[in-house]
Amino acid sequence: MNGAVSMVFFPAQAGFDLAWAREALTAQGLSVDAQPGALAVRWDEDGPVLRVAYAQGEQIAREALERAGEGAPAEARLRACTARFEIAIDDLDEALDEMNTLIEVQSTLQDGTGGYLFNAWNAQWSA
C-alpha cells in the first residue's frame, strides 16, 4: 500500500508550528531536515522518511468534524481544533514495518499539542 496520511488536530496556539515540531522531534533523537513548507523526518538513514506539514485555519476544524462524523464523542472538542500537523507517508507498508519512526513522530506531536490523532488509512482516532 502506498501513500497515506496521519494527522494531529489541535487548537491553534502560539508556539505550535513547524519550528516547534522540528525542535520537539529533534529532542526525541529523530533526524529532521527542513524543506519548503515541511519537515523530512527519519529515525535512521535506512528508515522511511515522513513529511510533516502544518496548517491552520477554520477549515481545519471542519475537516476534523467531517472525518469524525456527525455525533462523534469528541465533536465539541474537535470544533476547537483549528490547526493540524499532517504526517505524509510515501510507503505505508514500509512505515508500518518499521513503525518506531511513525509512532515516535505521532506521539511527539500529539502529546506536545494535546491533540487528536487521526490515521486516514484505517479511519481511527486517538485522543
Side-chain angles (χ1 to χ4, degrees), residues 55-71:
Q56 178 180 329
E58 294 302 319
Q59 77 281 4
I60 303 298
R62 287 191 297 276
E63 179 184 349
L65 290 167
E66 286 173 13
R67 292 182 182 277
E70 200 167 316

Side-chain angles (χ1 to χ4, degrees), residues 3-5 25 30-35 38-53 86-96 98-102 105:
V5 67
L25 294 167
L30 294 156
S31 173
V32 182
D33 294 313
Q35 299 179 335
L39 302 172
V41 182
R42 66 175 11 158
W43 191 265
D44 59 40
E45 291 183 22
D46 296 333
V49 176
L50 308 177
R51 290 179 322 283
V52 176
E86 180 175 306
I87 306 162
I89 305 160
D90 290 334
D91 187 329
L92 181 60
D93 288 337
E94 179 187 20
L96 293 177
E98 190 288 303
M99 69 174 56
N100 292 335
T101 304
L102 179 59
V105 171

